[in-house]
PDB file of all heavy atoms in Angstrom:
ATOM      1  N   PRO O   8       0.793  -1.209  -0.003  1.00  0.00           N
ATOM      2  CA  PRO O   8      -0.044  -0.018   0.037  1.00  0.00           C
ATOM      3  C   PRO O   8       0.850   1.294  -0.011  1.00  0.00           C
ATOM      4  O   PRO O   8       0.363   2.332  -0.407  1.00  0.00           O
ATOM      5  CB  PRO O   8      -0.811  -0.120   1.318  1.00  0.00           C
ATOM      6  CG  PRO O   8      -0.718  -1.569   1.700  1.00  0.00           C
ATOM      7  CD  PRO O   8       0.564  -2.088   1.152  1.00  0.00           C
ATOM      8  N   THR O   9       2.108   1.206   0.480  1.00  0.00           N
ATOM      9  CA  THR O   9       2.945   2.364   0.529  1.00  0.00           C
ATOM     10  C   THR O   9       3.584   2.708  -0.773  1.00  0.00           C
ATOM     11  O   THR O   9       4.283   3.688  -0.924  1.00  0.00           O
ATOM     12  CB  THR O   9       4.008   2.206   1.604  1.00  0.00           C
ATOM     13  OG1 THR O   9       4.777   1.120   1.257  1.00  0.00           O
ATOM     14  CG2 THR O   9       3.351   2.130   2.956  1.00  0.00           C
ATOM     15  N   ILE O  10       3.329   1.874  -1.826  1.00  0.00           N
ATOM     16  CA  ILE O  10       3.813   2.051  -3.190  1.00  0.00           C
ATOM     17  C   ILE O  10       5.375   2.246  -3.179  1.00  0.00           C
ATOM     18  O   ILE O  10       5.840   3.165  -3.769  1.00  0.00           O
ATOM     19  CB  ILE O  10       3.119   3.184  -3.928  1.00  0.00           C
ATOM     20  CG1 ILE O  10       1.647   3.156  -3.648  1.00  0.00           C
ATOM     21  CG2 ILE O  10       3.342   3.181  -5.442  1.00  0.00           C
ATOM     22  CD1 ILE O  10       0.828   4.211  -4.390  1.00  0.00           C
ATOM     23  N   LYS O  11       6.109   1.343  -2.605  1.00  0.00           N
ATOM     24  CA  LYS O  11       7.513   1.391  -2.553  1.00  0.00           C
ATOM     25  C   LYS O  11       8.135   0.468  -3.597  1.00  0.00           C
ATOM     26  O   LYS O  11       9.395   0.360  -3.693  1.00  0.00           O
ATOM     27  CB  LYS O  11       8.058   1.149  -1.197  1.00  0.00           C
ATOM     28  CG  LYS O  11       7.706   2.188  -0.142  1.00  0.00           C
ATOM     29  CD  LYS O  11       8.335   1.878   1.221  1.00  0.00           C
ATOM     30  CE  LYS O  11       7.927   2.950   2.227  1.00  0.00           C
ATOM     31  NZ  LYS O  11       8.539   2.677   3.536  1.00  0.00           N
ATOM     32  N   SER O  12       7.412  -0.315  -4.277  1.00  0.00           N
ATOM     33  CA  SER O  12       7.860  -1.354  -5.181  1.00  0.00           C
ATOM     34  C   SER O  12       8.515  -0.658  -6.374  1.00  0.00           C
ATOM     35  O   SER O  12       7.946   0.159  -7.073  1.00  0.00           O
ATOM     36  CB  SER O  12       6.761  -2.206  -5.683  1.00  0.00           C
ATOM     37  OG  SER O  12       7.136  -2.949  -6.861  1.00  0.00           O
ATOM     38  N   PRO O  13       9.828  -1.048  -6.724  1.00  0.00           N
ATOM     39  CA  PRO O  13      10.446  -0.512  -7.906  1.00  0.00           C
ATOM     40  C   PRO O  13       9.684  -0.844  -9.184  1.00  0.00           C
ATOM     41  O   PRO O  13       9.693  -0.014 -10.128  1.00  0.00           O
ATOM     42  CB  PRO O  13      11.844  -1.231  -7.870  1.00  0.00           C
ATOM     43  CG  PRO O  13      12.039  -1.583  -6.427  1.00  0.00           C
ATOM     44  CD  PRO O  13      10.662  -1.869  -5.896  1.00  0.00           C
ATOM     45  N   LEU O  14       9.119  -2.087  -9.183  1.00  0.00           N
ATOM     46  CA  LEU O  14       8.361  -2.421 -10.384  1.00  0.00           C
ATOM     47  C   LEU O  14       7.100  -1.462 -10.603  1.00  0.00           C
ATOM     48  O   LEU O  14       6.892  -1.040 -11.722  1.00  0.00           O
ATOM     49  CB  LEU O  14       7.835  -3.883 -10.221  1.00  0.00           C
ATOM     50  CG  LEU O  14       6.955  -4.331 -11.393  1.00  0.00           C
ATOM     51  CD1 LEU O  14       7.715  -4.330 -12.733  1.00  0.00           C
ATOM     52  CD2 LEU O  14       6.457  -5.829 -11.174  1.00  0.00           C
ATOM     53  N   LEU O  15       6.431  -1.150  -9.519  1.00  0.00           N
ATOM     54  CA  LEU O  15       5.255  -0.239  -9.670  1.00  0.00           C
ATOM     55  C   LEU O  15       5.763   1.145 -10.064  1.00  0.00           C
ATOM     56  O   LEU O  15       5.132   1.752 -10.999  1.00  0.00           O
ATOM     57  CB  LEU O  15       4.594  -0.169  -8.321  1.00  0.00           C
ATOM     58  CG  LEU O  15       3.384   0.786  -8.252  1.00  0.00           C
ATOM     59  CD1 LEU O  15       2.349   0.430  -9.312  1.00  0.00           C
ATOM     60  CD2 LEU O  15       2.731   0.802  -6.868  1.00  0.00           C
ATOM     61  N   LEU O  16       6.818   1.646  -9.468  1.00  0.00           N
ATOM     62  CA  LEU O  16       7.330   2.954  -9.896  1.00  0.00           C
ATOM     63  C   LEU O  16       7.700   2.954 -11.430  1.00  0.00           C
ATOM     64  O   LEU O  16       7.437   3.924 -12.098  1.00  0.00           O
ATOM     65  CB  LEU O  16       8.532   3.362  -9.080  1.00  0.00           C
ATOM     66  CG  LEU O  16       8.265   3.623  -7.584  1.00  0.00           C
ATOM     67  CD1 LEU O  16       9.547   3.829  -6.799  1.00  0.00           C
ATOM     68  CD2 LEU O  16       7.334   4.829  -7.463  1.00  0.00           C
ATOM     69  N   LEU O  17       8.327   1.881 -11.838  1.00  0.00           N
ATOM     70  CA  LEU O  17       8.699   1.789 -13.288  1.00  0.00           C
ATOM     71  C   LEU O  17       7.472   1.784 -14.155  1.00  0.00           C
ATOM     72  O   LEU O  17       7.360   2.429 -15.204  1.00  0.00           O
ATOM     73  CB  LEU O  17       9.506   0.487 -13.546  1.00  0.00           C
ATOM     74  CG  LEU O  17       9.939   0.250 -14.933  1.00  0.00           C
ATOM     75  CD1 LEU O  17      10.803   1.387 -15.482  1.00  0.00           C
ATOM     76  CD2 LEU O  17      10.695  -1.127 -15.078  1.00  0.00           C
ATOM     77  N   ILE O  18       6.464   1.068 -13.727  1.00  0.00           N
ATOM     78  CA  ILE O  18       5.179   1.010 -14.546  1.00  0.00           C
ATOM     79  C   ILE O  18       4.566   2.383 -14.540  1.00  0.00           C
ATOM     80  O   ILE O  18       4.170   2.821 -15.694  1.00  0.00           O
ATOM     81  CB  ILE O  18       4.249  -0.033 -13.866  1.00  0.00           C
ATOM     82  CG1 ILE O  18       4.720  -1.429 -14.108  1.00  0.00           C
ATOM     83  CG2 ILE O  18       2.812   0.105 -14.527  1.00  0.00           C
ATOM     84  CD1 ILE O  18       3.983  -2.473 -13.262  1.00  0.00           C
ATOM     85  N   LEU O  19       4.517   3.100 -13.501  1.00  0.00           N
ATOM     86  CA  LEU O  19       3.941   4.444 -13.463  1.00  0.00           C
ATOM     87  C   LEU O  19       4.713   5.396 -14.375  1.00  0.00           C
ATOM     88  O   LEU O  19       4.146   6.138 -15.031  1.00  0.00           O
ATOM     89  CB  LEU O  19       3.870   4.996 -12.008  1.00  0.00           C
ATOM     90  CG  LEU O  19       2.889   4.225 -11.059  1.00  0.00           C
ATOM     91  CD1 LEU O  19       3.072   4.771  -9.703  1.00  0.00           C
ATOM     92  CD2 LEU O  19       1.475   4.456 -11.544  1.00  0.00           C
ATOM     93  N   MET O  20       6.089   5.319 -14.295  1.00  0.00           N
ATOM     94  CA  MET O  20       6.915   6.176 -15.149  1.00  0.00           C
ATOM     95  C   MET O  20       6.616   5.883 -16.594  1.00  0.00           C
ATOM     96  O   MET O  20       6.528   6.734 -17.435  1.00  0.00           O
ATOM     97  CB  MET O  20       8.354   5.921 -14.812  1.00  0.00           C
ATOM     98  CG  MET O  20       8.782   6.534 -13.461  1.00  0.00           C
ATOM     99  SD  MET O  20      10.425   6.110 -13.020  1.00  0.00           S
ATOM    100  CE  MET O  20      11.346   6.905 -14.337  1.00  0.00           C
ATOM    101  N   LEU O  21       6.551   4.590 -17.013  1.00  0.00           N
ATOM    102  CA  LEU O  21       6.347   4.186 -18.369  1.00  0.00           C
ATOM    103  C   LEU O  21       4.985   4.725 -18.837  1.00  0.00           C
ATOM    104  O   LEU O  21       4.823   5.160 -19.944  1.00  0.00           O
ATOM    105  CB  LEU O  21       6.422   2.664 -18.554  1.00  0.00           C
ATOM    106  CG  LEU O  21       7.837   2.107 -18.484  1.00  0.00           C
ATOM    107  CD1 LEU O  21       7.767   0.556 -18.461  1.00  0.00           C
ATOM    108  CD2 LEU O  21       8.702   2.571 -19.627  1.00  0.00           C
ATOM    109  N   SER O  22       3.977   4.586 -17.976  1.00  0.00           N
ATOM    110  CA  SER O  22       2.591   5.044 -18.285  1.00  0.00           C
ATOM    111  C   SER O  22       2.598   6.528 -18.582  1.00  0.00           C
ATOM    112  O   SER O  22       2.028   7.062 -19.551  1.00  0.00           O
ATOM    113  CB  SER O  22       1.611   4.776 -17.186  1.00  0.00           C
ATOM    114  OG  SER O  22       1.547   3.305 -17.049  1.00  0.00           O
ATOM    115  N   SER O  23       3.337   7.300 -17.696  1.00  0.00           N
ATOM    116  CA  SER O  23       3.403   8.736 -17.850  1.00  0.00           C
ATOM    117  C   SER O  23       4.175   9.057 -19.213  1.00  0.00           C
ATOM    118  O   SER O  23       3.706  10.049 -19.934  1.00  0.00           O
ATOM    119  CB  SER O  23       4.162   9.393 -16.682  1.00  0.00           C
ATOM    120  OG  SER O  23       4.300  10.678 -16.874  1.00  0.00           O
ATOM    121  N   MET O  24       5.210   8.337 -19.473  1.00  0.00           N
ATOM    122  CA  MET O  24       6.005   8.664 -20.697  1.00  0.00           C
ATOM    123  C   MET O  24       5.186   8.338 -21.916  1.00  0.00           C
ATOM    124  O   MET O  24       5.168   9.090 -22.933  1.00  0.00           O
ATOM    125  CB  MET O  24       7.277   7.838 -20.698  1.00  0.00           C
ATOM    126  CG  MET O  24       8.278   8.290 -19.728  1.00  0.00           C
ATOM    127  SD  MET O  24       9.693   7.109 -19.513  1.00  0.00           S
ATOM    128  CE  MET O  24      10.391   7.240 -21.132  1.00  0.00           C
ATOM    129  N   LEU O  25       4.404   7.232 -21.911  1.00  0.00           N
ATOM    130  CA  LEU O  25       3.621   6.903 -23.071  1.00  0.00           C
ATOM    131  C   LEU O  25       2.510   7.901 -23.291  1.00  0.00           C
ATOM    132  O   LEU O  25       2.184   8.286 -24.365  1.00  0.00           O
ATOM    133  CB  LEU O  25       2.984   5.511 -22.843  1.00  0.00           C
ATOM    134  CG  LEU O  25       3.993   4.332 -22.945  1.00  0.00           C
ATOM    135  CD1 LEU O  25       3.250   3.015 -22.508  1.00  0.00           C
ATOM    136  CD2 LEU O  25       4.468   4.226 -24.410  1.00  0.00           C
ATOM    137  N   SER O  26       1.866   8.442 -22.160  1.00  0.00           N
ATOM    138  CA  SER O  26       0.871   9.458 -22.228  1.00  0.00           C
ATOM    139  C   SER O  26       1.432  10.760 -22.841  1.00  0.00           C
ATOM    140  O   SER O  26       0.768  11.410 -23.675  1.00  0.00           O
ATOM    141  CB  SER O  26       0.213   9.703 -20.883  1.00  0.00           C
ATOM    142  OG  SER O  26      -0.407   8.562 -20.376  1.00  0.00           O
ATOM    143  N   SER O  27       2.617  11.139 -22.365  1.00  0.00           N
ATOM    144  CA  SER O  27       3.209  12.284 -22.931  1.00  0.00           C
ATOM    145  C   SER O  27       3.561  12.208 -24.370  1.00  0.00           C
ATOM    146  O   SER O  27       3.388  13.104 -25.125  1.00  0.00           O
ATOM    147  CB  SER O  27       4.507  12.659 -22.112  1.00  0.00           C
ATOM    148  OG  SER O  27       4.162  12.894 -20.764  1.00  0.00           O
ATOM    149  N   ALA O  28       4.086  11.010 -24.714  1.00  0.00           N
ATOM    150  CA  ALA O  28       4.410  10.748 -26.165  1.00  0.00           C
ATOM    151  C   ALA O  28       3.179  10.812 -27.043  1.00  0.00           C
ATOM    152  O   ALA O  28       3.195  11.391 -28.070  1.00  0.00           O
ATOM    153  CB  ALA O  28       5.159   9.461 -26.276  1.00  0.00           C
ATOM    154  N   ALA O  29       2.083  10.260 -26.524  1.00  0.00           N
ATOM    155  CA  ALA O  29       0.828  10.277 -27.309  1.00  0.00           C
ATOM    156  C   ALA O  29       0.304  11.680 -27.486  1.00  0.00           C
ATOM    157  O   ALA O  29      -0.124  12.069 -28.617  1.00  0.00           O
ATOM    158  CB  ALA O  29      -0.212   9.476 -26.626  1.00  0.00           C
ATOM    159  N   LEU O  30       0.445  12.512 -26.390  1.00  0.00           N
ATOM    160  CA  LEU O  30      -0.020  13.890 -26.510  1.00  0.00           C
ATOM    161  C   LEU O  30       0.913  14.710 -27.512  1.00  0.00           C
ATOM    162  O   LEU O  30       0.422  15.446 -28.369  1.00  0.00           O
ATOM    163  CB  LEU O  30       0.021  14.527 -25.185  1.00  0.00           C
ATOM    164  CG  LEU O  30      -0.381  16.008 -25.027  1.00  0.00           C
ATOM    165  CD1 LEU O  30      -1.790  16.179 -25.549  1.00  0.00           C
ATOM    166  CD2 LEU O  30      -0.177  16.605 -23.694  1.00  0.00           C
ATOM    167  N   ALA O  31       2.201  14.437 -27.476  1.00  0.00           N
ATOM    168  CA  ALA O  31       3.096  15.102 -28.403  1.00  0.00           C
ATOM    169  C   ALA O  31       2.883  14.727 -29.747  1.00  0.00           C
ATOM    170  O   ALA O  31       2.929  15.566 -30.753  1.00  0.00           O
ATOM    171  CB  ALA O  31       4.560  14.832 -27.969  1.00  0.00           C
ATOM    172  N   ALA O  32       2.480  13.444 -30.031  1.00  0.00           N
ATOM    173  CA  ALA O  32       2.255  12.997 -31.364  1.00  0.00           C
ATOM    174  C   ALA O  32       0.957  13.655 -31.973  1.00  0.00           C
ATOM    175  O   ALA O  32       0.860  13.814 -33.161  1.00  0.00           O
ATOM    176  CB  ALA O  32       2.124  11.485 -31.444  1.00  0.00           C
ATOM    177  N   ASP O  33       0.028  14.030 -31.071  1.00  0.00           N
ATOM    178  CA  ASP O  33      -1.227  14.694 -31.536  1.00  0.00           C
ATOM    179  C   ASP O  33      -1.002  16.231 -31.685  1.00  0.00           C
ATOM    180  O   ASP O  33      -1.959  16.853 -32.138  1.00  0.00           O
ATOM    181  CB  ASP O  33      -2.307  14.394 -30.602  1.00  0.00           C
ATOM    182  CG  ASP O  33      -2.678  12.920 -30.570  1.00  0.00           C
ATOM    183  OD1 ASP O  33      -2.506  12.288 -31.668  1.00  0.00           O
ATOM    184  OD2 ASP O  33      -3.294  12.423 -29.622  1.00  0.00           O
ATOM    185  N   THR O  34       0.118  16.760 -31.339  1.00  0.00           N
ATOM    186  CA  THR O  34       0.327  18.190 -31.372  1.00  0.00           C
ATOM    187  C   THR O  34       1.091  18.577 -32.655  1.00  0.00           C
ATOM    188  O   THR O  34       2.108  17.968 -33.008  1.00  0.00           O
ATOM    189  CB  THR O  34       1.135  18.716 -30.174  1.00  0.00           C
ATOM    190  OG1 THR O  34       0.445  18.355 -29.005  1.00  0.00           O
ATOM    191  CG2 THR O  34       1.344  20.162 -30.284  1.00  0.00           C
ATOM    192  N   ASN O  35       0.509  19.490 -33.392  1.00  0.00           N
ATOM    193  CA  ASN O  35       1.143  19.984 -34.622  1.00  0.00           C
ATOM    194  C   ASN O  35       2.065  21.123 -34.307  1.00  0.00           C
ATOM    195  O   ASN O  35       1.673  22.172 -33.716  1.00  0.00           O
ATOM    196  CB  ASN O  35       0.010  20.429 -35.686  1.00  0.00           C
ATOM    197  CG  ASN O  35      -0.856  19.312 -36.050  1.00  0.00           C
ATOM    198  OD1 ASN O  35      -0.422  18.185 -36.336  1.00  0.00           O
ATOM    199  ND2 ASN O  35      -2.120  19.638 -36.002  1.00  0.00           N
ATOM    200  N   GLN O  36       3.324  20.971 -34.685  1.00  0.00           N
ATOM    201  CA  GLN O  36       4.386  21.974 -34.467  1.00  0.00           C
ATOM    202  C   GLN O  36       4.486  22.932 -35.691  1.00  0.00           C
ATOM    203  O   GLN O  36       4.608  22.461 -36.790  1.00  0.00           O
ATOM    204  CB  GLN O  36       5.711  21.351 -34.139  1.00  0.00           C
ATOM    205  CG  GLN O  36       6.797  22.372 -33.863  1.00  0.00           C
ATOM    206  CD  GLN O  36       8.097  21.691 -33.334  1.00  0.00           C
ATOM    207  OE1 GLN O  36       8.123  21.181 -32.241  1.00  0.00           O
ATOM    208  NE2 GLN O  36       9.104  21.761 -34.111  1.00  0.00           N
ATOM    209  N   VAL O  37       4.497  24.267 -35.378  1.00  0.00           N
ATOM    210  CA  VAL O  37       4.527  25.266 -36.448  1.00  0.00           C
ATOM    211  C   VAL O  37       5.754  26.085 -36.201  1.00  0.00           C
ATOM    212  O   VAL O  37       5.925  26.661 -35.109  1.00  0.00           O
ATOM    213  CB  VAL O  37       3.338  26.181 -36.497  1.00  0.00           C
ATOM    214  CG1 VAL O  37       3.488  27.216 -37.549  1.00  0.00           C
ATOM    215  CG2 VAL O  37       2.044  25.341 -36.688  1.00  0.00           C
ATOM    216  N   THR O  38       6.712  26.088 -37.147  1.00  0.00           N
ATOM    217  CA  THR O  38       7.920  26.848 -36.991  1.00  0.00           C
ATOM    218  C   THR O  38       7.753  28.207 -37.740  1.00  0.00           C
ATOM    219  O   THR O  38       7.306  28.246 -38.879  1.00  0.00           O
ATOM    220  CB  THR O  38       9.167  26.128 -37.700  1.00  0.00           C
ATOM    221  OG1 THR O  38       9.225  24.828 -37.041  1.00  0.00           O
ATOM    222  CG2 THR O  38      10.385  26.878 -37.417  1.00  0.00           C
ATOM    223  N   ILE O  39       8.029  29.304 -37.059  1.00  0.00           N
ATOM    224  CA  ILE O  39       7.749  30.604 -37.585  1.00  0.00           C
ATOM    225  C   ILE O  39       9.020  31.440 -37.441  1.00  0.00           C
ATOM    226  O   ILE O  39       9.962  31.221 -36.720  1.00  0.00           O
ATOM    227  CB  ILE O  39       6.593  31.302 -36.807  1.00  0.00           C
ATOM    228  CG1 ILE O  39       6.958  31.522 -35.318  1.00  0.00           C
ATOM    229  CG2 ILE O  39       5.294  30.526 -36.894  1.00  0.00           C
ATOM    230  CD1 ILE O  39       6.044  32.469 -34.542  1.00  0.00           C
ATOM    231  N   ASN O  40       8.983  32.594 -38.138  1.00  0.00           N
ATOM    232  CA  ASN O  40      10.021  33.624 -37.963  1.00  0.00           C
ATOM    233  C   ASN O  40       9.823  34.324 -36.656  1.00  0.00           C
ATOM    234  O   ASN O  40       8.647  34.544 -36.235  1.00  0.00           O
ATOM    235  CB  ASN O  40       9.932  34.606 -39.140  1.00  0.00           C
ATOM    236  CG  ASN O  40      11.060  35.616 -39.082  1.00  0.00           C
ATOM    237  OD1 ASN O  40      12.210  35.290 -38.822  1.00  0.00           O
ATOM    238  ND2 ASN O  40      10.721  36.898 -39.320  1.00  0.00           N
ATOM    239  N   LYS O  41      10.883  34.567 -35.914  1.00  0.00           N
ATOM    240  CA  LYS O  41      10.769  35.318 -34.691  1.00  0.00           C
ATOM    241  C   LYS O  41      10.098  36.669 -34.927  1.00  0.00           C
ATOM    242  O   LYS O  41      10.686  37.516 -35.568  1.00  0.00           O
ATOM    243  CB  LYS O  41      12.142  35.529 -34.019  1.00  0.00           C
ATOM    244  CG  LYS O  41      12.067  36.166 -32.682  1.00  0.00           C
ATOM    245  CD  LYS O  41      13.518  36.275 -32.132  1.00  0.00           C
ATOM    246  CE  LYS O  41      13.551  37.007 -30.819  1.00  0.00           C
ATOM    247  NZ  LYS O  41      14.981  37.184 -30.326  1.00  0.00           N
ATOM    248  N   PRO O  42       8.915  36.953 -34.293  1.00  0.00           N
ATOM    249  CA  PRO O  42       8.293  38.254 -34.493  1.00  0.00           C
ATOM    250  C   PRO O  42       9.100  39.404 -33.949  1.00  0.00           C
ATOM    251  O   PRO O  42       9.827  39.309 -32.922  1.00  0.00           O
ATOM    252  CB  PRO O  42       6.940  38.166 -33.783  1.00  0.00           C
ATOM    253  CG  PRO O  42       6.741  36.638 -33.585  1.00  0.00           C
ATOM    254  CD  PRO O  42       8.077  36.081 -33.490  1.00  0.00           C
ATOM    255  N   ARG O  43       9.108  40.536 -34.716  1.00  0.00           N
ATOM    256  CA  ARG O  43       9.846  41.712 -34.170  1.00  0.00           C
ATOM    257  C   ARG O  43       9.057  42.221 -32.968  1.00  0.00           C
ATOM    258  O   ARG O  43       7.859  42.063 -32.778  1.00  0.00           O
ATOM    259  CB  ARG O  43       9.865  42.825 -35.259  1.00  0.00           C
ATOM    260  CG  ARG O  43      10.763  42.551 -36.334  1.00  0.00           C
ATOM    261  CD  ARG O  43      10.869  43.572 -37.396  1.00  0.00           C
ATOM    262  NE  ARG O  43      11.833  43.482 -38.415  1.00  0.00           N
ATOM    263  CZ  ARG O  43      11.666  42.751 -39.451  1.00  0.00           C
ATOM    264  NH1 ARG O  43      10.524  42.151 -39.667  1.00  0.00           N
ATOM    265  NH2 ARG O  43      12.646  42.554 -40.364  1.00  0.00           N
ATOM    266  N   GLN O  44       9.820  42.796 -31.997  1.00  0.00           N
ATOM    267  CA  GLN O  44       9.230  43.322 -30.802  1.00  0.00           C
ATOM    268  C   GLN O  44       8.150  44.436 -31.180  1.00  0.00           C
ATOM    269  O   GLN O  44       8.412  45.295 -31.967  1.00  0.00           O
ATOM    270  CB  GLN O  44      10.276  44.037 -29.943  1.00  0.00           C
ATOM    271  CG  GLN O  44       9.759  44.506 -28.612  1.00  0.00           C
ATOM    272  CD  GLN O  44      10.907  45.083 -27.709  1.00  0.00           C
ATOM    273  OE1 GLN O  44      12.115  45.175 -28.146  1.00  0.00           O
ATOM    274  NE2 GLN O  44      10.553  45.455 -26.516  1.00  0.00           N
ATOM    275  N   GLY O  45       6.992  44.216 -30.616  1.00  0.00           N
ATOM    276  CA  GLY O  45       5.900  45.129 -30.885  1.00  0.00           C
ATOM    277  C   GLY O  45       5.112  44.881 -32.144  1.00  0.00           C
ATOM    278  O   GLY O  45       4.175  45.605 -32.449  1.00  0.00           O
TER     279      GLY O  45
END
């Protein structure tokens, strides 16, 4: 119950990484010229 298992921590880390990767894959990146100040 105290969630000290290395296996559980690894699983949680992998789940977080997979979720972040999935979100990044769904995000369209747009490269632009740096706008002038103002």
Side-chain angles (χ1 to χ4, degrees):
T9 57
I10 317 182
K11 294 182 179 179
S12 165
L14 177 60
L15 177 56
L16 290 174
L17 178 61
I18 290 170
L19 292 173
M20 290 174 61
L21 288 172
S22 297
S23 177
M24 291 171 62
L25 289 171
S26 298
S27 298
L30 179 61
D33 290 337
T34 301
N35 298 313
Q36 182 172 290
V37 180
T38 305
I39 64 166
N40 184 43
K41 181 181 179 181
R43 289 182 173 84
Q44 186 176 3

